[in-house]
Amino acid sequence: MPFLTSLRSLSLRFSLPPKKSLHPLALSPAASAMELQPPCFLVICGKSSKEKELARCLKDNHALKLPGVPELSILLHSESEEPVEEGCFRISSFFDSLATARLGRLLIWSPRLPSTHDIVSQNFCELPIGAACVADVQFKGRGRLNNVWQSPRGCLTFSFTIQMDDGRVVPLVQYVVSLAVTEAIKDVCHKNGIPYLDVRIKWPNDLYLNGLKVGGILCTSTYTSKKFNVSAGIGLNIDNEKPTTCLNEVLQKLTSVAYRLQKEDVLAAFFNKFEKFFDLLINEGFQPLEKLYYATWLHSGQRVIVQEKDGEQFVEKPVTIQGLTSSGYLLAVGEDSQLCELHPDGNSFDYFKGLVRRKLT
């Protein structure tokens, strides 16, 4: 995920829950690594009485664990005060905008976590499908090839759970998540009468705006009891200008309106959109979403160079990207009109600098 910065460059503020209130505590950026790791706590909440009761059961049963955090404090939303500090996620605002039947209705919030993805993936069987975790600051987020990403305040950093039966569709989930993020941003802009932000998808799991990375997606899965348990993690730079750019920075250059995108609105809009897209994927496959996906990604007609081994040498050959194959890899055509499937070689940080061609019959 892309919301990158050095932890030592931040003056972090977060909340701790003695009894029934949340008080801010300031940390010096010069603090040691150990001093920058205060106790973690979670606030669990639900949209309806059903999810609120489930939240209470999770707390009472001490059901949630976090590897490496022996003392994980858990509060119900009703036992805590809504944070008023700037940049803190506002749970009530999120639920006011959420209109889903399943996704996001049980929410876990924390001011500071190692990783939201670890919360949902390590507690998958304890949580209802569609449960989400959001953190104001994330300091050990997970990226591709086990990269660790820092997420400062201003990033929307969240993870959630879904479950699938068909393993052939699982690789396509990350594309649907990416598309839902871009469409959610459009919906929020339209709703508030502000200029459209043209966030685009870089295959397979990055989000770009004006040529700079503003977001990323990580999906992992396990197979248990004939089901694929998928944990999806998303990071989006909404209100943090460094280290690259953020949505609000670009927005302020486009309009004189003082409105700024809020994390809660974008997250609710994402779940509202993704739930519809996910149902399409499960019931009809990726085809109903292909046209919109190709209109949003950066690669239609893109010419790239792939390497093929010819004896003891590697030969570079140009190909043109056409779309996606049924397995979720890149479909391309060579100068010989031969269709091929492009796979990353697993060694390059940039997918497009390490592509391997597999010819299709």
Side-chain angles (χ1 to χ4, degrees):
M1 299 179 203
F3 17 94
L4 332 174
T5 190
S6 167
L7 189 58
R8 287 187 176 273
S9 69
L10 297 175
S11 178
L12 299 177
R13 292 176 61 84
F14 57 93
S15 301
L16 293 174
K19 298 184 180 180
K20 294 191 177 182
S21 62
L22 303 178
H23 299 290
L25 174 63
L27 289 182
S28 165
S32 68
M34 289 298 292
E35 292 172 325
L36 284 171
Q37 296 186 20
C40 292
F41 76 92
L42 307 176
V43 175
I44 312 180
C45 44
K47 182 172 174 66
S48 72
S49 57
K50 176 183 177 182
E51 288 94 21
K52 290 176 182 177
E53 180 58 30
L54 180 54
R56 181 173 295 279
C57 290
L58 289 170
K59 180 202 171 183
D60 292 346
N61 294 330
H62 305 285
L64 301 183
K65 309 297 180 184
L66 182 59
V69 181
E71 295 184 7
L72 185 63
S73 300
I74 298 177
L75 290 174
L76 297 178
H77 187 213
S78 58
E79 297 173 337
S80 64
E81 295 177 358
E82 192 86 0
V84 295
E85 190 177 354
E86 184 178 357
C88 284
F89 190 84
R90 298 167 298 163
I91 297 169
S92 298
S93 178
F94 164 71
F95 280 138
D96 287 344
S97 299
L98 186 69
T100 60
R102 304 180 306 280
L103 301 183
R105 296 178 65 89
L106 186 132
L107 183 75
I108 302 168
W109 167 77
S110 179
R112 188 174 185 275
L113 278 179
S115 166
T116 61
H117 197 275
D118 285 347
I119 289 289
V120 300
S121 62
Q122 297 295 326
N123 297 283
F124 197 101
C125 295
E126 305 297 332
L127 295 169
I129 301 302
C133 177
V134 60
D136 294 335
V137 172
Q138 177 178 263
F139 57 92
K140 287 186 180 179
R142 297 171 59 186
R144 194 174 70 88
L145 300 178
N146 295 320
N147 291 302
V148 176
W149 300 107
Q150 313 290 352
S151 306
R153 182 160 296 190
C155 291
L156 172 59
T157 309
F158 69 100
S159 301
F160 67 99
T161 64
I162 52 177
Q163 198 169 62
M164 307 176 69
D165 297 319
D166 189 350
R168 295 170 297 181
V169 185
V170 171
L172 301 172
V173 168
Q174 62 184 329
Y175 308 143
V176 179
V177 171
S178 301
L179 185 59
V181 173
T182 64
E183 291 298 298
I185 295 167
K186 291 179 187 177
D187 284 356
V188 175
C189 289
H190 177 74
K191 179 180 178 181
N192 292 280
I194 57 176
Y196 163 66
L197 294 174
D198 190 22
V199 178
R200 308 298 293 273
I201 298 168
K202 180 185 176 185
W203 182 88
N205 56 1
D206 289 334
L207 300 170
Y208 274 66
L209 178 59
N210 295 345
L212 294 174
K213 186 173 177 178
V214 294
I217 288 90
L218 173 70
C219 294
T220 62
S221 67
T222 58
Y223 186 67
T224 305
S225 301
K226 299 183 179 180
K227 298 281 187 180
F228 291 90
N229 296 334
V230 180
S231 301
I234 298 91
L236 183 65
N237 291 350
I238 290 184
D239 211 20
N240 54 301
E241 296 181 6
K242 297 190 183 294
T244 57
T245 189
C246 65
L247 303 187
N248 278 330
E249 181 184 19
V250 175
L251 180 62
Q252 298 311 303
K253 295 176 180 177
L254 296 176
T255 179
S256 58
V257 177
Y259 176 84
R260 300 178 74 86
L261 293 168
Q262 303 298 316
K263 293 187 291 185
E264 303 82 8
D265 295 338
V266 175
L267 182 57
F270 166 79
F271 281 125
N272 294 342
K273 186 66 68 173
F274 179 77
E275 187 168 272
K276 297 175 183 178
F277 286 175
F278 183 68
D279 286 345
L280 278 175
L281 178 68
I282 296 302
N283 296 322
E284 302 179 42
F286 191 69
Q287 186 174 2
L289 299 169
E290 278 187 348
K291 183 177 180 181
L292 182 59
Y293 183 83
Y294 292 147
T296 307
W297 79 339
L298 295 167
H299 309 299
S300 294
Q302 181 180 357
R303 191 175 175 86
V304 297
I305 303 296
V306 298
Q307 289 186 335
E308 289 186 341
K309 194 168 184 180
D310 185 5
E312 297 299 318
Q313 295 182 327
F314 282 95
V315 179
E316 292 188 343
K317 295 184 178 181
V319 297
T320 302
I321 296 174
Q322 304 290 304
L324 294 173
T325 66
S326 59
S327 56
Y329 291 103
L330 292 174
L331 176 66
V333 60
E335 292 185 329
D336 56 0
S337 299
Q338 172 71 49
L339 289 176
C340 58
E341 186 177 66
L342 303 184
H343 296 235
D345 65 4
N347 297 315
S348 174
F349 184 77
D350 188 333
Y351 272 89
F352 289 88
K353 292 182 180 179
L355 290 170
V356 177
R357 181 168 77 160
R358 183 176 74 85
K359 292 183 179 180
L360 298 176
T361 56

